[in-house]
Amino acid sequence: MRLSTRLTAITAAALTALSVTPAASAAAAPELVVNGTFANGTAPWWNSANTSMAVDAGRLRVTVPGGTANPWDAMIGQNAITLTKGKSYTLSFDASASTAVSAVTTVQLADAPYTNTLTQPIALTTTSKRFSFPFTAGLGTPAGQVSFQLGKNAGFTFFVDNVSLTETTSTPPPGSGPVEMTDGFYVDPGSNPALWVNRNPGAKADRIKAAISTKPMARWFGGWSGDIRSAVSRYVADAAAARKLPILVAYNIYGRDACGEHSSGGAPSEAAYLTWISEFAAGIGNRPAVVVIEPDSLGDFACMDSGEITARKRMLNHATRQFRDKAANTWAYLDAANAGWTQPATMAGRLRDAGVGNVRGFAVNVSNYYTTADSARYGDAVSTALGGGVPFVIDTSRNGKGSNNQWCNPPGRQLGTPARVGGGAEMLLWVKVPGDSDGPCGVAPTVPAGTFSPDLAIRLIDGA
């Protein structure tokens, strides 16, 4: 595989972005937003100088003329929102726009320093969708604010209705996030290291079992997985039965590994991929899961022409919508390359174009070796370029000694921190399977990509 590559400190501890059928808030949860249905006009909602607003057919219509430099240069919002630090809330609303645009919604202090406890990009289309963002408040104040930041776009019209902010109960309902719905990460009994250990008893197997095969790691799904809906469904069902959180990787995009390294392939056509990824998401359904979407897919643009890049973004947009619409309890993360491949601002633009607003966030350092600290700095920079507060996860499977600027089975690398929540990102995950080859290269010149090598595994254990 090519150079592929907190809960956040800003407190998006339980934040997730879903598009679901509108549902009434629980009767016991007091509503913190006033006039969220706009049945009583626009008050107490306010708008900035670069917008105008009016109630139109029972929803709020906001006209945005365009030409502003920042998202917050064109805003609407409501102040005097009371928040309690450490309590869980859910911000929900129905929204659409006259054309496809990106915007940002926040829950923050109404006045300087405008500290935010939720900042989430939203991808708007001409079809109204229900957005729901659970989060844990990182500040306590009677002077909070709910806002919609609409600037940095060409002129358009924004429509919003049924805005709700409620405190969530201690028992998480469906859609509240897979971490709360499970009790730790799922250990894959069918991983390549586990299968090798079971077939090759002995001292080497004992070391690999202790250090690798008994740890949670991702299962990768691609063209080799057979009927993808059935394969995914079986895997998440096994994890759900154990009340554990499975980590999955979707790795089958048409034109995969455009730079012609060791992982080329993917679906045979764009149409085939659209069907495949739709079935992947449907296979998860309402069960909890974490999914990394298409490693390398936003990193290898230098090897693609403009038409290929447009098609790639189109396919990823479709993928993000499938997880949003068909896998309500999945946190999905678009791959965002790594600290040594793409500049943060460039990657943020690619993520935005690929539909990151439809999913939980993005993943960094997949199948690479950059330290957790380097990866967190890169992830923070990408998140900031997206407007701030966008969650990300870090692949720590092989980053214990950091990168030596080689990506294909380099010597002297070491296992990193096993899967956990927090630790410098929303989650640290073993996305790459430790011991699986990057290709016939480096210290494993005869081992094909994706094939487990016990020698590579021992090297990662020993840092050799």
Side-chain angles (χ1 to χ4, degrees):
M1 179 170 183
R2 194 179 180 272
L3 178 67
S4 175
T5 162
R6 283 177 263 186
L7 302 172
T8 63
I10 297 177
T11 70
L15 180 159
T16 186
L18 311 173
S19 177
V20 296
T21 303
S25 298
E31 179 57 63
L32 302 179
V33 165
V34 177
N35 191 27
T37 63
F38 307 100
N40 299 311
T42 60
W45 293 88
W46 53 263
N47 61 290
S48 70
N50 292 315
T51 64
S52 60
M53 66 181 185
V55 176
D56 181 358
R59 59 183 179 173
L60 187 67
R61 184 190 72 235
V62 183
T63 302
V64 183
T68 53
N70 303 293
W72 54 86
D73 291 335
M75 294 175 60
I76 65 163
Q78 183 175 136
N79 295 345
I81 302 293
T82 298
L83 299 169
T84 301
K85 186 174 181 179
K87 287 197 172 182
S88 297
Y89 299 87
T90 299
L91 174 66
S92 303
F93 51 89
D94 300 321
S96 62
S98 58
T99 188
V101 295
S102 295
V104 178
T105 187
T106 73
V107 179
Q108 62 182 47
L109 284 178
D111 298 307
Y114 308 107
T115 305
N116 66 69
T117 192
L118 168 66
T119 300
Q120 181 67 23
I122 51 176
L124 300 170
T125 68
T126 56
T127 301
S128 182
K129 294 182 176 67
R130 185 70 173 169
F131 295 87
S132 182
F133 301 106
F135 66 97
T136 298
L139 52 89
T141 179
Q145 176 189 93
V146 172
S147 80
F148 296 92
Q149 302 182 359
L150 310 172
K152 204 175 180 180
N153 286 300
F156 73 104
T157 303
F158 172 64
F159 300 97
V160 66
D161 196 6
N162 299 314
V163 184
S164 172
L165 179 63
T166 58
E167 183 180 334
T168 54
T169 61
S170 58
T171 301
S176 64
V179 172
E180 291 91 343
M181 298 174 69
T182 51
D183 184 20
F185 292 99
Y186 183 57
V187 176
D188 181 4
S191 71
N192 285 344
L195 294 176
W196 188 91
V197 165
N198 290 338
R199 294 166 183 163
N200 298 274
K204 182 180 287 188
D206 291 344
R207 295 191 67 202
I208 293 172
K209 180 177 181 179
I212 296 176
S213 70
T214 53
K215 308 298 184 186
M217 65 190 75
R219 178 175 287 193
W220 292 55
F221 292 84
W224 58 85
S225 300
D227 182 285
I228 190 60
R229 184 168 184 162
S230 296
V232 167
S233 181
R234 285 193 300 270
Y235 189 63
V236 297
D238 289 344
R243 205 172 178 271
K244 298 296 183 180
L245 180 56
I247 308 161
L248 300 84
V249 178
Y251 193 54
N252 197 40
I253 199 162
Y254 171 60
R256 189 180 68 207
D257 198 355
C259 293
E261 296 292 349
H262 302 297
S263 297
S264 59
S269 67
E270 179 175 345
Y273 179 71
L274 300 184
T275 298
W276 185 88
I277 198 68
S278 177
E279 290 294 289
F280 188 119
I284 298 174
N286 289 327
R287 292 168 294 200
V290 168
V291 177
V292 175
I293 303 173
E294 300 297 341
D296 294 343
S297 60
L298 292 176
D300 57 1
F301 280 15
C303 302
M304 303 167 68
D305 62 34
S306 59
E308 291 169 330
I309 290 171
T310 298
R312 176 69 59 83
K313 292 177 180 178
R314 186 168 59 235
M315 287 185 281
L316 291 172
N317 261 287
H318 175 83
T320 62
R321 292 193 301 270
Q322 300 312 297
F323 289 105
R324 180 195 67 191
D325 296 341
K326 296 181 177 181
N329 295 307
T330 290
W331 281 357
Y333 302 87
L334 271 173
D335 185 76
N338 60 65
W341 197 351
T342 308
Q343 289 298 311
T346 299
M347 181 51 66
R350 294 176 184 178
L351 287 165
R352 190 178 292 112
D353 291 345
V356 72
N358 293 324
V359 293
R360 176 69 176 180
F362 59 94
V364 303
N365 202 49
V366 172
S367 297
N368 217 278
Y369 302 87
Y370 288 93
T371 65
T372 301
D374 287 342
S375 297
R377 280 190 291 270
Y378 171 70
D380 284 337
V382 173
S383 181
T384 297
L386 284 168
V390 182
F392 62 92
V393 298
I394 300 172
D395 183 358
T396 56
S397 57
R398 307 184 297 178
N399 75 344
K401 284 189 174 180
S403 172
N404 65 351
N405 297 317
Q406 300 176 34
W407 66 268
C408 199
N409 300 327
R413 302 309 94 201
Q414 195 162 37
L415 298 171
T417 302
R420 58 160 292 182
V421 172
E426 179 154 77
M427 290 180 279
L428 307 182
L429 303 173
W430 281 12
V431 181
K432 176 72 175 182
V433 175
D436 277 8
S437 175
D438 295 315
C441 53
V443 295
T446 64
V447 184
T451 299
F452 180 74
S453 164
D455 293 333
L456 284 175
I458 293 296
R459 281 179 172 271
L460 288 170
I461 295 170
D462 292 341

